Amino acid sequence: MSPDTSPLERRYRRLLRLLPATHRTARGEELLGLLLDLDHGRRHPSWHETLNIIALAIRLRLTTPVTTTALTTGLTALLVAAGTQPAGHTLDLFTGAVLATDMSAIIASWPQLVALGLLPLAPLIAWLCGAPRTALTLQAIFLTVTVGWFVIDVLNGADLGINPGQQLFAYAPPALTVVLLAIAARERWTAPRPRLFWWALVPLGILAWKGTGEWGRHGVYVPDAVPTVIGILTAATVAVGAGLAVRRHRPAVLIGVGLAGFIAGWLIPDPLLSNTAMQHFDGQPLPLAVLITVIAATMAGLKHLARRLKPEVRSLPPDGPVMR
């Protein structure tokens, strides 16, 4: 950068680094000139243009193939984990969660219970069928009803001993799902492939929630070291993956980021890990969604690696001699 560069230009160049490199190469100088003309005579970028650059950077980075694949995979995993939870609990209700002496009341109201258990599957089914706007509408309705019931209970004096942190953690997955579905509807995203894998996860997710209900009734003891080990392994794995994604200075990035991830995983408090990694047994869908995302990402990575290692099939020219 030239020493004669104005402070405004230097600050705008730093802001433009938020944009993807390909966009900066193609239109960076043109955009810089336009911004300098709009803010001529100023020393600092205006708030309006700064927010416009940030919004443009977010939108451009959301449309990259890697980001789109990652977000659609996480969104589908959230829908599977949250959508199959009520159905799994309903199945558990009829297969062991209630004593035989109390089953008469459950059997008498089975249509309502089954309907309430299957209705949350609607956004997932709509999303897998390629209807993101329908999935967004249904998910927004369910979130509004759930939050409305909670607000009514609070206004009526119920749940006076609620924990705000737990409530925030409980409503975070459905709220995040609504935000991702809104982006998906705007950007016309579709469910990741292969679709058969995600359709197969619907009954498997229901059985998983049924299984955790059975497991929880017998008392599950989780050693204190387990959350710490999970945190260390997860942070180190993510760090190594980030290092592999960097093209330059790969060994240094692997060592530096790997050590930083390892230390970060070690420093994460046990209560936080216990409330995230182990809350799947208390009805929280987020850990199951993380597990599904990791499995899907691993399958995609192995598929990509197998495609790269697969030898190319070379065919002989039509009239070429055959070597013996």
Side-chain angles (χ1 to χ4, degrees), residues 11-12 14-16 18-19 31 35 38-39 42 44-60:
R11 292 183 173 96
Y12 263 129
R14 284 196 291 267
L15 272 176
L16 290 177
L18 297 174
L19 303 177
L31 184 57
L35 292 171
L38 291 174
D39 283 350
R42 298 174 60 98
H44 297 274
S46 62
W47 280 107
H48 181 265
E49 301 304 332
T50 300
L51 293 177
N52 283 339
I53 293 174
I54 295 175
L56 177 62
I58 293 174
R59 181 167 185 179
L60 290 175

Side-chain angles (χ1 to χ4, degrees), residues 176-319:
L176 178 61
T177 304
V178 169
V179 172
L180 290 176
L181 281 174
I183 299 174
R186 178 180 177 84
E187 300 297 333
R188 298 183 180 180
W189 290 347
T190 57
R193 297 181 182 274
R195 300 285 177 84
L196 182 61
F197 168 77
W198 296 103
W199 281 111
L201 283 179
V202 176
L204 291 177
I206 295 174
L207 292 177
W209 285 112
K210 158 62 182 173
T212 55
E214 286 282 354
W215 192 4
R217 279 197 294 276
H218 295 87
V220 182
Y221 173 72
V222 179
D224 294 336
V226 172
T228 304
V229 172
I230 292 177
I232 294 172
L233 293 178
T234 303
T237 303
V238 172
V240 171
L244 290 174
V246 179
R247 297 181 180 180
R248 297 180 181 179
H249 310 296
R250 183 171 296 177
V253 172
L254 277 174
I255 295 173
V257 181
L259 287 176
F262 185 87
I263 294 173
W266 182 267
L267 294 178
I268 293 177
D270 281 348
L272 177 61
L273 284 170
S274 299
N275 289 331
T276 55
M278 299 303 165
Q279 282 295 322
H280 177 50
F281 304 106
D282 290 338
Q284 298 294 343
L286 187 58
L288 180 59
V290 172
L291 177 61
I292 294 174
T293 303
V294 171
I295 294 174
T298 302
M299 290 181 56
L302 292 175
K303 184 178 179 180
H304 178 70
L305 182 61
R307 189 184 299 115
R308 290 186 59 182
L309 296 179
K310 184 178 180 180
E312 297 181 359
V313 179
R314 299 179 179 179
S315 58
L316 293 172
D319 298 328

